[in-house]
Each structure stands twice: as C-alpha cells, then as structure tokens.
Amino acid sequence: LGLGAFVALCLAISAIGGWVTAGSVGTWYQVLRKPAFNPPDWLFAPVWTLLYVLIAVAGWRVWRACGLAGARAGMAAYAVQLALNLLWSLLFFGGRMIGVALVEIVLLLAMICVNAVLFWRTDRPAGWLLVPYAAWVAFACVLNFALWRLI
C-alpha cells in the first residue's frame, strides 16, 4: 500500500508535467533550434516513466525504513526535488522561459544530489536509486543550456 502511494504520487507529478508539456512539445518545442545531441522525442516518455518509478521506490524504501519523522531531512529533500521537478516543466514548456528553467534545473540537480546523499545515509539502495535520475537531470541541464544558447 505504501509503495502504491509513492508510485501514485510520482506518476501524478509526471502526469501534471506531461499535461503542461503536451501543449508545447508538438508546437513550440518542435521549432526550436536544437543541438545535435538532442534525443528523439519518443525517448523522453519511457525514460521519465522509469525514473519516476525509481524515485517512488527510493522514497518508499526510506519511508519503510524509518517513517516520515525518522527521515525528516531526507523526506523534505524528496518533497522539494519533486516540486522542483514539476516546476521545471511549468517554466520550460508551460512558460517557455528557457533561461529561467535553466537556473531552476541546476537547483533541481543540486536537490536531487542532496536527496540521494540523505537517502543513502538511511538506506543505501534508496540513495543509489536516485543516481540515474541525477544523471538524466545532469544531461537535461546540458541540453537546457544548449537550447538557451541557441535561442
């Protein structure tokens, strides 16, 4: 039941972000100049789905190990990075503010790293489960920067 709640939370954030993204990905985003290393559009949905499942499992493992109160700092970082994750979609795709989104995604990456360290201290597999997320967001930072430079 707990795992289901964490998965539902992460997939709800994904769905809201996807809803905001859908309004721009087929129009505004298509006409942007993109760097040569820009992944194909079809790759984003499966990668993000997998990442959200890993994020959910990481949160659930820490919650199961010591509860919300027992991992207060880690769970606070978890909530903040999820909020920042959604905010990036709102800024980049919803607001079409590539520069502001670039600043925000750097903050997101920093918070994911903080979250991973805090989770690792409580449950090492939970910390490691956030590493692919951090790697993808690091790549997204580079991509966001390249898109900003090309506008």
Side-chain angles (χ1 to χ4, degrees), residues 48-62:
W48 274 111
T49 301
L50 174 61
L51 292 175
Y52 277 118
V53 169
L54 295 176
I55 295 164
V57 172
W60 170 72
R61 288 185 61 92
V62 170

Side-chain angles (χ1 to χ4, degrees), residues 39-116:
D41 291 345
W42 63 263
L43 185 64
F44 289 95
V47 167
W48 274 111
T49 301
L50 174 61
L51 292 175
Y52 277 118
V53 169
L54 295 176
I55 295 164
V57 172
W60 170 72
R61 288 185 61 92
V62 170
W63 171 78
R64 192 184 62 170
C66 46
L68 295 177
R72 190 170 314 229
M75 295 310 280
Y78 186 77
V80 170
Q81 63 84 8
L82 284 174
L84 288 171
N85 183 308
L86 178 57
L87 180 59
W88 183 86
S89 294
L90 295 171
L91 293 171
F92 188 90
F93 287 106
R96 300 175 182 180
M97 297 183 285
I98 297 173
V100 176
L102 175 59
V103 172
E104 194 275 351
I105 200 170
V106 171
L107 295 174
L108 170 58
L109 178 58
M111 187 52 66
I112 294 167
C113 292
V114 167
N115 193 193

Side-chain angles (χ1 to χ4, degrees), residues 120-144:
W120 186 84
R121 290 178 181 167
T122 301
D123 180 81
R124 289 187 179 185
W128 284 110
L129 284 167
L130 295 179
V131 171
Y133 177 34
W136 183 257
V137 170
F139 172 72
C141 284
V142 173
L143 182 58
N144 193 153

Side-chain angles (χ1 to χ4, degrees), residues 24-35:
S24 291
V25 79
T27 57
W28 169 78
Y29 186 74
Q30 290 303 316
V31 298
L32 287 177
R33 287 185 45 213
K34 295 181 191 73

